[in-house]
Amino acid sequence: MKVLERYIECMRKGDQAGLADLFSEDGVLHDSSLHKIGQDTMHLEGKMAVEMMFHHKFGFNGGPFPITGVRMKDDNAIWYFIQYNQQVVQVMAYLSEMDEQGRIRRLNIYHL
């Protein structure tokens, strides 16, 4: 299974530890798709920051985020719809850098 497919699986399950394990120790998750629902960009640096933030996010969301319509563009890009509360946002996750062990060094998420 490709890293972006595992990312989607962890988001669907609400698995913050599994999600964090996809990132290198200094990995970056930069999510500007939140602008679409009036929230600030989420910029996380480090595996621990990813785990802590998504523990918080899944908790306040009442569990995993509903994700539908997943389409792989290629090994480095995936499109999907994610539901934040009652709003559905179409996004693209772009894997721009990985480390030697196949972990994410930088993942950018944009709304479409």
Side-chain angles (χ1 to χ4, degrees), residues 5-72:
E5 291 170 324
R6 293 193 328 255
Y7 168 81
I8 294 294
E9 182 179 291
C10 290
M11 290 290 287
R12 283 180 164 161
K13 289 181 178 177
D15 180 1
Q16 69 269 0
L19 188 64
D21 284 342
L22 298 175
F23 286 82
S24 65
E25 289 300 323
D26 61 348
V28 172
L29 188 152
H30 184 86
D31 186 350
S32 62
S33 72
L34 297 166
H35 284 259
K36 198 72 170 175
I37 60 167
Q39 293 185 13
D40 291 333
T41 295
M42 180 172 56
H43 183 87
L44 305 173
E45 294 189 26
K47 178 179 178 172
M48 184 177 286
V50 171
E51 184 169 358
M52 290 173 58
M53 176 58 79
F54 279 93
H55 174 77
H56 176 76
K57 289 266 186 201
F58 292 142
F60 279 102
N61 191 51
F65 289 93
I67 294 177
T68 58
V70 177
R71 299 288 181 266
M72 289 290 296

